[in-house]
Amino acid sequence: METVALVSSYDKEDMASTKVLHSCTILTHRIITNRLHILFHFTVTLLLLYYRISHFFNGNSLPALSWALITISEIIFTFIWCLTQAFRWRPLSRTVSIDEIPANMNLEGLDVFVCTADPRKEPTMEVMNTIISALALDYPPEKLAVYLSDDGGSYITLYALKEAFAFSKRWLPFCMKYRIKTRCPEAFFSLAKYEELSITDEFSAKKDELEMKYNLFKRNVEKICEDASNYVVFDRPAHAEIIHGDTYMDGNENDEESTKMPLLVYVSRERRPSKPHRFKAGALNALLRVSEKFSNGPYLLVLDCDMYCNDPTSARQAMCFHLDPQMSPSLAFVQFPQMFYNISKNDIYDNQARSAYRIKWQGMDGIRGPSLSGTGFYLKRKALYGSPNCEDKHPSEVQRTSGELMKFSSEEEIAILKEAKLLASCNYERNTKWGEEASYLLHCRGWTSVYLCPTRPCFLGCTTIDMKDALVQLVKWSSGLLQIGLSRFSPLSYGVSRMSILQSMCYGYFIYQPLYAIAFLIYGIIPQLCFLNGIPLYPKVLSPWFVVFSTVYLSAIGQQLHEVLSDGGTTLTWWNEQRIWVIKSVSGSCFGCLDLFMKWSGIKKTTFRLTNKAVDKDKLEKYEKGEFDFQGATMFMIPLSALAILNMACFIGGLGGIILRRNYEEMFGQIFLSLFIMAVSYPMIQGLLRRSKKEKQ
């Protein structure tokens, strides 16, 4: 491994001080291994495709349609595999030294955006814990502003936000006094050990007092949620409210109450059934416009409503890159990994996304940076308005570059709130480009990004614990990404002319990954039907060509297994990843492709499917035991169930023919494939049997 130290220089009062803020480690050993494997695997894959195509045109294999379809599926696998190799070309890792940031450094303003939409599916207390943890970031409070977008327009959320701020006025001084790292109240009070704190009688007494206040706050919010008659208002005007600003300070009770607090603003944009909504992208766009009128922080932190700040120093860690004069001019954002606190030991749904955050994002970081994950990134506001070399600013940007929070008189506050409501209206979205451009256009314009994966997770969220919610997410992503891939913004056409081929390939992988559904459907139908009818699709076991096919398979499996084991995983981790990859491709990605087709054909309009983040005890118990939960996902399971039943029927029927014909060598490949599909679909078969047993009872 090669480590490169990156240095930043600052001039303060004619004194130049040089500080090492971050370093970069090029993973040389992994690079060499990856490139050797790419050369080997690509060569063998070309031989496999040569066998398929040459035998098709020679007319040696019948029926031709089956041969052509299986060839198409293998071309799709090869195409996506080629795109994947861009992630393995030049991986690197980074570290930061926040202690080297000068104490007198004038940090610029930071605006935190949090979006929520429905208190029933996104528990209000989880949202409030995220807000409180954001208010408690280790950042100058006069430079920090937190904005909550409530797309449900719920009085529950507004009430809870006011209660959360009242609690945070006591919580923040406690965190600062005792240097608490876990500043999410729910997480802190759940700790078995209180970090490396010095436990004194004073600390214990204060902690107990705050825990009582937090439980009271929690009961009040839960009570109003239970008594609510209306959770979401779908037809409403825009509303903006300053929960706390400079004129809202209350420091009369005691010294702790006079602690400076960040700006906190509630925004509920206008929503009309007849007007375009644009979902989360529209909510973020509204926050972007509204925040310009209040704080206009040069940097933005975007968080999911259930993704709380687990390390208060994350902002300073990001600034180690944004403050670097050599890197900053072209740096758009710093991306942190999306990690979860409720992942089970078995992780049957691969919620930790190990391949993405341990392999792919590190790989993209070596070629001008990772893509936006949707949460946990520190973005330079200027990057949204043009290219790195463009000096022009957004027309509405006010003349404040430091992000200092403005002080308003009562009349000014009324005027600014009125303007904020206008900026959050539906009419402002009309005939504008807000929400239409994909995030990868930042890289197309010449911006770069950075991926930082510190030892202590900076952000922790709540992941899905059943198949339904996991697949709902996948359908949304698959449909949206594939839509970009088939438009003029495709990374293999629009992107490749504006950024490097490797970076275009990375984006191409994310966008064209739903095509796995087509390849898996073909592989789940054609070989099985041919097996039933005694038609071989693979070479004989003793043929040299069989070595080619088996080498391609073992090479791909071996690489993935090596990556899992070298990352501290187990063979069970590898198998869970393999299994859920196939299951999600055949179900979620399949419906994503279908969803896109229906949109294009005009059969169906775009709808917003909100992932349910409320925790069900029964589902949680199944998840902890490693049992798949298909409740509510019956529709998604139709393709997988059909393929599992077809595979079993064809396997049983085809075995008789093999015994009679004794052509084991010709059919070995299809026998192995059928057994593999049975192993993958075992949770599905088990679920069907359990449901049948319950119905009989």
Side-chain angles (χ1 to χ4, degrees), residues 517-543:
I518 298 173
F520 277 122
L521 285 174
I522 293 174
Y523 247 77
I525 298 173
I526 301 303
Q528 286 69 29
L529 293 176
C530 289
F531 181 74
L532 180 64
N533 292 283
I535 302 171
L537 290 177
Y538 299 95
K540 293 182 179 180
V541 175
L542 298 179
S543 168

Side-chain angles (χ1 to χ4, degrees), residues 111-166:
D111 294 345
V112 183
F113 293 169
V114 180
C115 299
T116 187
D118 189 337
R120 292 166 298 185
K121 295 186 177 182
E122 297 170 336
T124 305
M125 280 307 299
E126 281 195 7
V127 180
M128 294 307 112
N129 271 278
T130 298
I131 293 294
I132 293 170
S133 68
L135 290 169
L137 282 171
D138 181 16
Y139 209 75
E142 67 276 7
K143 299 292 184 69
L144 180 63
V146 179
Y147 296 83
L148 175 65
S149 169
D150 176 19
D151 257 6
S154 174
Y155 68 91
I156 297 173
T157 305
L158 181 56
Y159 166 81
L161 189 63
K162 292 178 180 179
E163 290 289 303
F165 177 74

Side-chain angles (χ1 to χ4, degrees), residues 479-509:
S479 178
L481 290 172
L482 196 55
Q483 187 172 11
I484 296 173
L486 299 178
S487 71
R488 69 184 184 91
F489 293 111
S490 167
L492 302 186
S493 57
Y494 183 90
V496 79
S497 62
R498 291 165 173 81
M499 53 187 176
S500 71
I501 181 65
L502 289 174
Q503 199 169 21
S504 300
M505 288 169 64
C506 290
Y507 279 107
Y509 167 79

Side-chain angles (χ1 to χ4, degrees), residues 5-16:
L6 300 172
V7 177
S8 298
S9 300
Y10 306 95
D11 292 320
K12 289 282 184 180
E13 300 178 358
D14 300 326
M15 293 178 63

Side-chain angles (χ1 to χ4, degrees), residues 20 29 57 60 84 104 113 153 163 182 202 214 240 277 305 322 329 373 422 461 477 541 631 636 675 683:
V20 178
H29 176 72
F57 285 108
N60 294 333
T84 310
N104 60 346
F113 293 169
E163 290 289 303
T182 304
E202 180 188 20
Y214 175 73
H277 186 53
C305 62
H322 279 302
S373 295
L422 174 64
W477 295 338
V541 175
Q631 186 178 358
F636 293 119
L675 292 173

